[in-house]
Amino acid sequence: MLKTFKLGGVHPAENKFSADKAIEKLALPKSVFIPVAQHIGAPAQALVKKGDQVKVGQVIAKAGGFVSANIHSSVSGTVTKVDLATDASGYPKQGIFIEVAGDEWEECIVTDETLVERFEADSKTIIDKINEAGIVGLGGATFPTHVKLMPPPGSKAEMLIINGVECEPYLTADHRLMLEKGPELLVGIRLLMCALSVNKAYIGIENNKKDAIESLKKLCASDASIEVVPLKVKYPQGGEKQLIKAVTGREVPSGALPIAVGAVVSNVGTAFAVYEAVQKNKPLIERVVTVTGKSLSKPSNFLVRIGTPANELVEAAGGLPEDTGKIISGGPMMGKAVASLDIPVTKGTSGILIMPDPDAKRKTSQNCIRCGRCVTVCPMGLEPFLLMTVSEKQIWERAEKDCIMDCIECGSCSFTCPADRPLLDYIRLGKGKVGQIIRSRKK
């Protein structure tokens, strides 16, 4: 019987239109905008100015603290300005504008695709290289990877869990990476195991990716330290706490991190980036992005340089359909709608979803009928109907008491609500306010 997490969960239509589309390298753009804040934590500090010449892989912004990440140039050319521009959040963010000229890489970066399996680096060397390369979680959270690999005093990692679930509908970037870069992925996993000083790694993959399961099982058949774990298809299994429960049976306590149960979770894209950083000296300058939608003529998976305008990806996938109603950065459950395609691809851009107009329209919200469906599907065991009410009424003390900060914002409650109530919208609002209150209390 396939493993899964027990509490809650839903089954949205998968719509994986690009699952059989091999990763294509997208042509270089004429110019890029590279934000200095593409991660959780302090923004990086720009090291370049207008007129500077840069190469591919050159550090152009230095991490602004321990919980931060370096930013590297994804192209070669001339810095035209360091200024504000709108990113996927809809807010103006500082970043570096570069006009592309040629494709000249830093000499230390190995650009050939020959597999390099052997490594002699110790834990500290691996973590330092990951830090220098600006690697963050590529599953969407963008938490700096070097921080995750350095558990706080008193905590000890017992296992590494690789997240190959990709439970978000439409998205297929991780699926294609597992199929096409399996050997490199396994080296990246071994590097992460060495960094954490653990002897066991699990790769959790949902059973709708049977080809990836079989491929990786064959590749690690002779290595008992890495185990592929097929999982029942259920959303949001890609959430860290849900994945840990599904793979190990351990439950992360309320308010705690995965390290509390001895686990460190890393996305398959992150593991591949670690391989490239340590074995090829290649910083995080590009990533795989799914461009998809029901009306899109050519759903695709592109290998894209960071900073590339999103409109170039959509054009490469056949152009914006006439019936477009909404453009989403990410997937339909946890992604965010964007006002324009004039935004850059960043380290956290997993996909661009073009929603047709009929699917994009929200239905009119009605009164709660107390059916309890939102409670049944919540994977964190919360009461979304109540959390929406206390957020709407601004009863912040009650919201905190009822564990609003445990919400992982998966959207299962809004998805299943027969009254079409904006449950997640109000819970996000409440989380933001309660988070402010908790932080002010610690000052």
Side-chain angles (χ1 to χ4, degrees), residues 66-119:
F66 176 60
V67 184
S68 185
N70 290 338
I71 304 291
H72 300 77
S73 178
S74 60
V75 295
S76 61
T78 306
V79 176
T80 54
K81 59 180 175 177
V82 179
D83 204 351
L84 298 174
T86 304
D87 68 0
S89 71
Y91 294 99
K93 298 288 178 66
Q94 190 186 46
I96 296 157
F97 292 79
I98 303 171
E99 189 175 304
V100 180
D103 193 27
E104 189 180 351
W105 291 58
E106 287 276 44
E107 291 178 8
C108 63
I109 300 172
V110 180
T111 55
D112 68 64
E113 295 189 11
T114 308
L115 178 67
V116 182
E117 292 190 81
R118 289 178 62 104
F119 62 88

Side-chain angles (χ1 to χ4, degrees), residues 358-373:
D359 292 354
K361 288 179 179 174
R362 284 199 177 199
K363 295 175 184 174
T364 304
S365 175
Q366 300 174 50
N367 291 335
C368 175
I369 61 171
R370 295 294 189 271
C371 65
R373 285 190 194 175

Side-chain angles (χ1 to χ4, degrees), residues 26 29 31-33 86-88 289-291 302 304-317 319-320 327-329 338 340-346 349 351-354:
L26 194 72
S31 62
V32 295
F33 167 63
T86 304
D87 68 0
V289 179
T290 299
V291 184
F302 294 118
V304 188
R305 300 283 179 97
I306 301 299
T308 300
N311 54 22
E312 299 203 10
L313 281 74
V314 175
E315 284 304 313
L320 202 64
I327 302 164
I328 295 173
S329 176
V338 297
S340 161
L341 278 171
D342 191 23
I343 56 171
V345 168
T346 63
T349 307
I352 297 169
L353 170 60
I354 312 298

Side-chain angles (χ1 to χ4, degrees), residues 116-131:
V116 182
E117 292 190 81
R118 289 178 62 104
F119 62 88
E120 295 177 0
D122 60 7
S123 174
K124 184 181 183 306
T125 304
I126 293 169
I127 293 172
D128 286 347
K129 280 210 168 192
I130 289 169
N131 188 4

